[in-house]
Tab-separated table of all heavy atoms in Angstrom:
chain	number	residue	atom	x	y	z
K	1	LYS	N	-6.712	-16.859	-6.866
K	1	LYS	CA	-7.387	-16.895	-5.558
K	1	LYS	C	-6.455	-16.256	-4.543
K	1	LYS	O	-5.238	-16.222	-4.730
K	1	LYS	CB	-7.675	-18.331	-5.149
K	1	LYS	CG	-8.583	-19.082	-6.083
K	1	LYS	CD	-8.799	-20.479	-5.585
K	1	LYS	CE	-8.583	-21.520	-6.567
K	1	LYS	NZ	-7.607	-21.954	-7.296
K	2	CYS	N	-7.014	-15.774	-3.469
K	2	CYS	CA	-6.186	-15.191	-2.416
K	2	CYS	C	-5.220	-16.249	-1.907
K	2	CYS	O	-5.570	-17.418	-1.754
K	2	CYS	CB	-7.043	-14.664	-1.268
K	2	CYS	SG	-7.697	-13.030	-1.620
K	3	GLY	N	-3.975	-15.836	-1.683
K	3	GLY	CA	-2.937	-16.753	-1.257
K	3	GLY	C	-1.999	-17.112	-2.405
K	3	GLY	O	-1.102	-17.923	-2.239
K	4	GLU	N	-2.206	-16.516	-3.593
K	4	GLU	CA	-1.336	-16.741	-4.747
K	4	GLU	C	-0.669	-15.425	-5.128
K	4	GLU	O	-1.259	-14.355	-4.974
K	4	GLU	CB	-2.147	-17.229	-5.960
K	4	GLU	CG	-2.807	-18.570	-5.777
K	4	GLU	CD	-3.611	-18.968	-7.014
K	4	GLU	OE1	-3.653	-18.183	-7.991
K	4	GLU	OE2	-4.186	-20.058	-7.003
K	5	PRO	N	0.570	-15.494	-5.651
K	5	PRO	CA	1.227	-14.254	-6.077
K	5	PRO	C	0.443	-13.507	-7.160
K	5	PRO	O	0.451	-12.280	-7.214
K	5	PRO	CB	2.574	-14.725	-6.620
K	5	PRO	CG	2.810	-16.048	-6.009
K	5	PRO	CD	1.460	-16.645	-5.760
K	6	ARG	N	-0.278	-14.252	-8.016
K	6	ARG	CA	-1.078	-13.585	-9.055
K	6	ARG	C	-2.142	-12.695	-8.435
K	6	ARG	O	-2.443	-11.619	-8.940
K	6	ARG	CB	-1.764	-14.621	-9.958
K	6	ARG	CG	-0.819	-15.415	-10.804
K	6	ARG	CD	-1.543	-16.321	-11.779
K	6	ARG	NE	-2.525	-17.172	-11.143
K	6	ARG	CZ	-3.631	-17.613	-11.738
K	6	ARG	NH1	-3.888	-17.284	-12.973
K	6	ARG	NH2	-4.472	-18.392	-11.096
K	7	MET	N	-2.731	-13.159	-7.332
K	7	MET	CA	-3.780	-12.372	-6.701
K	7	MET	C	-3.195	-11.143	-6.021
K	7	MET	O	-3.846	-10.096	-5.962
K	7	MET	CB	-4.562	-13.225	-5.695
K	7	MET	CG	-5.829	-12.568	-5.208
K	7	MET	SD	-6.936	-12.240	-6.596
K	7	MET	CE	-8.066	-11.100	-5.842
K	8	TYR	N	-1.961	-11.230	-5.547
K	8	TYR	CA	-1.299	-10.056	-4.982
K	8	TYR	C	-1.217	-8.962	-6.053
K	8	TYR	O	-1.549	-7.807	-5.806
K	8	TYR	CB	0.105	-10.441	-4.489
K	8	TYR	CG	0.915	-9.268	-3.981
K	8	TYR	CD1	0.759	-8.814	-2.678
K	8	TYR	CD2	1.829	-8.625	-4.799
K	8	TYR	CE1	1.488	-7.739	-2.202
K	8	TYR	CE2	2.571	-7.554	-4.345
K	8	TYR	CZ	2.401	-7.109	-3.042
K	8	TYR	OH	3.130	-6.045	-2.579
K	9	ARG	N	-0.803	-9.352	-7.242
K	9	ARG	CA	-0.714	-8.378	-8.336
K	9	ARG	C	-2.089	-7.868	-8.745
K	9	ARG	O	-2.257	-6.712	-9.118
K	9	ARG	CB	0.035	-8.996	-9.510
K	9	ARG	CG	1.505	-9.255	-9.198
K	9	ARG	CD	2.295	-9.684	-10.415
K	9	ARG	NE	1.875	-10.955	-10.976
K	9	ARG	CZ	2.338	-12.137	-10.570
K	9	ARG	NH1	3.220	-12.215	-9.595
K	9	ARG	NH2	1.917	-13.247	-11.153
K	10	ARG	N	-3.086	-8.723	-8.673
K	10	ARG	CA	-4.452	-8.311	-9.001
K	10	ARG	C	-4.947	-7.281	-7.992
K	10	ARG	O	-5.577	-6.293	-8.349
K	10	ARG	CB	-5.366	-9.536	-9.026
K	10	ARG	CG	-6.856	-9.282	-9.150
K	10	ARG	CD	-7.329	-8.915	-10.548
K	10	ARG	NE	-7.064	-9.896	-11.550
K	10	ARG	CZ	-7.873	-10.901	-11.878
K	10	ARG	NH1	-9.002	-11.079	-11.247
K	10	ARG	NH2	-7.541	-11.723	-12.843
K	11	HIS	N	-4.671	-7.527	-6.696
K	11	HIS	CA	-5.045	-6.550	-5.664
K	11	HIS	C	-4.436	-5.187	-5.997
K	11	HIS	O	-5.126	-4.168	-5.952
K	11	HIS	CB	-4.529	-6.979	-4.276
K	11	HIS	CG	-5.325	-8.061	-3.618
K	11	HIS	ND1	-6.686	-8.001	-3.425
K	11	HIS	CD2	-4.920	-9.241	-3.064
K	11	HIS	CE1	-7.098	-9.088	-2.798
K	11	HIS	NE2	-6.031	-9.871	-2.559
K	12	LEU	N	-3.150	-5.175	-6.351
K	12	LEU	CA	-2.483	-3.915	-6.650
K	12	LEU	C	-3.069	-3.255	-7.895
K	12	LEU	O	-3.256	-2.036	-7.938
K	12	LEU	CB	-0.978	-4.137	-6.840
K	12	LEU	CG	-0.198	-4.563	-5.596
K	12	LEU	CD1	1.262	-4.804	-5.961
K	12	LEU	CD2	-0.309	-3.526	-4.499
K	13	ALA	N	-3.370	-4.042	-8.916
K	13	ALA	CA	-3.931	-3.492	-10.150
K	13	ALA	C	-5.304	-2.873	-9.914
K	13	ALA	O	-5.664	-1.880	-10.558
K	13	ALA	CB	-4.032	-4.578	-11.213
K	14	LEU	N	-6.061	-3.449	-8.988
K	14	LEU	CA	-7.398	-2.925	-8.691
K	14	LEU	C	-7.353	-1.790	-7.675
K	14	LEU	O	-8.396	-1.252	-7.304
K	14	LEU	CB	-8.302	-4.052	-8.180
K	14	LEU	CG	-8.601	-5.163	-9.178
K	14	LEU	CD1	-9.391	-6.289	-8.523
K	14	LEU	CD2	-9.367	-4.610	-10.373
K	15	GLY	N	-6.156	-1.463	-7.197
K	15	GLY	CA	-6.025	-0.373	-6.231
K	15	GLY	C	-6.400	-0.783	-4.825
K	15	GLY	O	-6.682	0.075	-3.985
K	16	GLU	N	-6.405	-2.073	-4.549
K	16	GLU	CA	-6.767	-2.576	-3.218
K	16	GLU	C	-5.499	-2.784	-2.394
K	16	GLU	O	-4.396	-2.896	-2.930
K	16	GLU	CB	-7.503	-3.912	-3.337
K	16	GLU	CG	-8.747	-3.861	-4.197
K	16	GLU	CD	-9.315	-5.242	-4.482
K	16	GLU	OE1	-8.653	-6.249	-4.168
K	16	GLU	OE2	-10.412	-5.283	-5.036
K	17	VAL	N	-5.688	-2.889	-1.114
K	17	VAL	CA	-4.587	-3.252	-0.225
K	17	VAL	C	-4.533	-4.779	-0.218
K	17	VAL	O	-5.538	-5.430	0.083
K	17	VAL	CB	-4.827	-2.714	1.203
K	17	VAL	CG1	-3.735	-3.194	2.146
K	17	VAL	CG2	-4.911	-1.199	1.178
K	18	PRO	N	-3.383	-5.380	-0.567
K	18	PRO	CA	-3.308	-6.839	-0.604
K	18	PRO	C	-3.554	-7.455	0.769
K	18	PRO	O	-3.111	-6.929	1.793
K	18	PRO	CB	-1.876	-7.116	-1.073
K	18	PRO	CG	-1.444	-5.860	-1.748
K	18	PRO	CD	-2.155	-4.754	-1.045
K	19	CYS	N	-4.257	-8.579	0.757
K	19	CYS	CA	-4.530	-9.275	2.016
K	19	CYS	C	-3.255	-9.953	2.527
K	19	CYS	O	-2.261	-10.069	1.796
K	19	CYS	CB	-5.657	-10.291	1.828
K	19	CYS	SG	-5.243	-11.623	0.691
K	20	THR	N	-3.282	-10.392	3.758
K	20	THR	CA	-2.110	-10.995	4.385
K	20	THR	C	-1.662	-12.254	3.647
K	20	THR	O	-0.454	-12.467	3.446
K	20	THR	CB	-2.427	-11.336	5.859
K	20	THR	OG1	-2.926	-10.158	6.497
K	20	THR	CG2	-1.197	-11.815	6.588
K	21	ALA	N	-2.594	-13.082	3.208
K	21	ALA	CA	-2.253	-14.331	2.524
K	21	ALA	C	-1.565	-14.049	1.184
K	21	ALA	O	-0.579	-14.702	0.817
K	21	ALA	CB	-3.505	-15.175	2.305
K	22	CYS	N	-2.043	-13.034	0.483
K	22	CYS	CA	-1.451	-12.694	-0.817
K	22	CYS	C	-0.070	-12.072	-0.637
K	22	CYS	O	0.842	-12.349	-1.417
K	22	CYS	CB	-2.366	-11.747	-1.580
K	22	CYS	SG	-3.907	-12.522	-2.117
K	23	ARG	N	0.105	-11.235	0.398
K	23	ARG	CA	1.420	-10.653	0.660
K	23	ARG	C	2.433	-11.739	1.000
K	23	ARG	O	3.568	-11.715	0.533
K	23	ARG	CB	1.341	-9.640	1.794
K	23	ARG	CG	0.819	-8.303	1.318
K	23	ARG	CD	0.996	-7.277	2.359
K	23	ARG	NE	0.334	-7.762	3.578
K	23	ARG	CZ	-0.076	-7.018	4.573
K	23	ARG	NH1	0.138	-5.733	4.544
K	23	ARG	NH2	-0.684	-7.529	5.612
K	24	ALA	N	2.013	-12.723	1.796
K	24	ALA	CA	2.909	-13.824	2.174
K	24	ALA	C	3.282	-14.659	0.949
K	24	ALA	O	4.438	-15.054	0.778
K	24	ALA	CB	2.259	-14.693	3.243
K	25	ALA	N	2.288	-14.935	0.076
K	25	ALA	CA	2.552	-15.730	-1.132
K	25	ALA	C	3.498	-14.986	-2.068
K	25	ALA	O	4.408	-15.577	-2.654
K	25	ALA	CB	1.239	-16.046	-1.840
K	26	ASN	N	3.315	-13.675	-2.200
K	26	ASN	CA	4.189	-12.885	-3.057
K	26	ASN	C	5.604	-12.831	-2.487
K	26	ASN	O	6.578	-12.942	-3.231
K	26	ASN	CB	3.627	-11.474	-3.232
K	26	ASN	CG	4.407	-10.689	-4.244
K	26	ASN	OD1	4.469	-11.070	-5.408
K	26	ASN	ND2	5.032	-9.604	-3.803
K	27	ALA	N	5.721	-12.697	-1.173
K	27	ALA	CA	7.039	-12.660	-0.543
K	27	ALA	C	7.758	-14.000	-0.731
K	27	ALA	O	8.960	-14.040	-0.998
K	27	ALA	CB	6.909	-12.319	0.935
K	28	ALA	N	7.017	-15.105	-0.611
K	28	ALA	CA	7.617	-16.429	-0.796
K	28	ALA	C	8.081	-16.607	-2.247
K	28	ALA	O	9.168	-17.142	-2.495
K	28	ALA	CB	6.621	-17.517	-0.415
K	29	ALA	N	7.281	-16.157	-3.199
K	29	ALA	CA	7.655	-16.274	-4.610
K	29	ALA	C	8.873	-15.398	-4.905
K	29	ALA	O	9.772	-15.805	-5.649
K	29	ALA	CB	6.487	-15.865	-5.500
K	30	ASP	N	8.928	-14.219	-4.313
K	30	ASP	CA	10.068	-13.329	-4.510
K	30	ASP	C	11.338	-13.941	-3.919
K	30	ASP	O	12.403	-13.906	-4.530
K	30	ASP	CB	9.769	-11.979	-3.864
K	30	ASP	CG	10.792	-10.922	-4.218
K	30	ASP	OD1	11.223	-10.911	-5.387
K	30	ASP	OD2	11.155	-10.121	-3.333
K	31	ARG	N	11.213	-14.523	-2.743
K	31	ARG	CA	12.352	-15.184	-2.106
K	31	ARG	C	12.841	-16.349	-2.961
K	31	ARG	O	14.036	-16.523	-3.199
K	31	ARG	CB	11.913	-15.682	-0.720
K	31	ARG	CG	12.957	-15.727	0.311
K	31	ARG	CD	12.446	-16.024	1.717
K	31	ARG	NE	11.166	-16.659	1.877
K	31	ARG	CZ	10.025	-16.014	2.221
K	31	ARG	NH1	10.030	-14.715	2.447
K	31	ARG	NH2	8.905	-16.675	2.347
K	32	ARG	N	11.893	-17.144	-3.462
K	32	ARG	CA	12.235	-18.288	-4.310
K	32	ARG	C	12.944	-17.828	-5.583
K	32	ARG	O	13.913	-18.425	-6.025
K	32	ARG	CB	10.959	-19.071	-4.648
K	32	ARG	CG	11.159	-20.345	-5.396
K	32	ARG	CD	9.892	-21.184	-5.543
K	32	ARG	NE	8.656	-20.446	-5.702
K	32	ARG	CZ	7.738	-20.263	-4.735
K	32	ARG	NH1	7.926	-20.764	-3.532
K	32	ARG	NH2	6.638	-19.580	-4.964
K	33	TYR	N	12.491	-16.698	-6.146
K	33	TYR	CA	13.112	-16.178	-7.365
K	33	TYR	C	14.553	-15.734	-7.103
K	33	TYR	O	15.443	-15.985	-7.903
K	33	TYR	CB	12.291	-15.004	-7.923
K	33	TYR	CG	12.869	-14.422	-9.177
K	33	TYR	CD1	12.836	-15.122	-10.371
K	33	TYR	CD2	13.473	-13.175	-9.160
K	33	TYR	CE1	13.374	-14.599	-11.520
K	33	TYR	CE2	14.023	-12.639	-10.311
K	33	TYR	CZ	13.970	-13.358	-11.489
K	33	TYR	OH	14.514	-12.840	-12.634
K	34	ARG	N	14.763	-15.068	-5.994
K	34	ARG	CA	16.127	-14.623	-5.674
K	34	ARG	C	17.061	-15.797	-5.434
K	34	ARG	O	18.240	-15.741	-5.773
K	34	ARG	CB	16.100	-13.716	-4.446
K	34	ARG	CG	15.616	-12.316	-4.759
K	34	ARG	CD	15.888	-11.377	-3.608
K	34	ARG	NE	15.402	-11.904	-2.350
K	34	ARG	CZ	14.301	-11.524	-1.729
K	34	ARG	NH1	13.573	-10.573	-2.252
K	34	ARG	NH2	13.931	-12.057	-0.592
K	35	LEU	N	16.551	-16.883	-4.853
K	35	LEU	CA	17.395	-18.041	-4.550
K	35	LEU	C	17.614	-18.956	-5.751
K	35	LEU	O	18.712	-19.476	-5.959
K	35	LEU	CB	16.783	-18.858	-3.405
K	35	LEU	CG	16.794	-18.179	-2.034
K	35	LEU	CD1	15.982	-19.022	-1.033
K	35	LEU	CD2	18.207	-17.993	-1.548
K	36	THR	N	16.566	-19.192	-6.550
K	36	THR	CA	16.639	-20.203	-7.617
K	36	THR	C	16.544	-19.628	-9.019
K	36	THR	O	16.873	-20.331	-9.976
K	36	THR	CB	15.498	-21.229	-7.458
K	36	THR	OG1	14.238	-20.561	-7.673
K	36	THR	CG2	15.530	-21.880	-6.084
K	37	GLY	N	16.057	-18.405	-9.162
K	37	GLY	CA	15.870	-17.838	-10.500
K	37	GLY	C	14.561	-18.249	-11.119
K	37	GLY	O	14.313	-17.970	-12.287
K	38	SER	N	13.689	-18.909	-10.372
K	38	SER	CA	12.404	-19.346	-10.892
K	38	SER	C	11.294	-18.797	-10.012
K	38	SER	O	11.390	-18.764	-8.794
K	38	SER	CB	12.331	-20.872	-10.912
K	38	SER	OG	11.044	-21.283	-11.277
K	39	ARG	N	10.215	-18.364	-10.616
K	39	ARG	CA	9.080	-17.851	-9.853
K	39	ARG	C	8.094	-18.945	-9.462
K	39	ARG	O	7.244	-18.745	-8.626
K	39	ARG	CB	8.344	-16.792	-10.658
K	39	ARG	CG	9.147	-15.543	-10.870
K	39	ARG	CD	8.277	-14.411	-11.379
K	39	ARG	NE	9.076	-13.246	-11.731
K	39	ARG	CZ	9.524	-12.346	-10.872
K	39	ARG	NH1	9.260	-12.481	-9.604
K	39	ARG	NH2	10.232	-11.332	-11.286
K	40	THR	N	8.182	-20.102	-10.119
K	40	THR	CA	7.222	-21.164	-9.830
K	40	THR	C	7.719	-22.063	-8.711
K	40	THR	O	8.909	-22.319	-8.574
K	40	THR	CB	6.970	-22.029	-11.077
K	40	THR	OG1	8.202	-22.571	-11.518
K	40	THR	CG2	6.350	-21.201	-12.194
């Protein structure tokens, strides 16, 4: 669903521009991965 990192990747795979909620969720997951080493 929109607002999840998975949907950000789905937007990109479909050639769409990711929505704001998906970009924010992906950025948060990326930040969490850099800090903790975990994507969840």
Side-chain angles (χ1 to χ4, degrees):
K1 299 180 230 61
C2 278
E4 296 179 359
R6 293 186 307 151
M7 192 60 195
Y8 176 84
R9 293 188 296 273
R10 171 77 59 89
H11 283 307
L12 293 177
L14 295 174
E16 303 170 351
V17 175
C19 64
T20 307
C22 292
R23 280 191 304 202
N26 187 62
D30 190 39
R31 210 171 21 258
R32 186 172 35 257
Y33 180 70
R34 283 192 309 257
L35 291 172
T36 66
S38 174
R39 293 193 187 279
T40 58

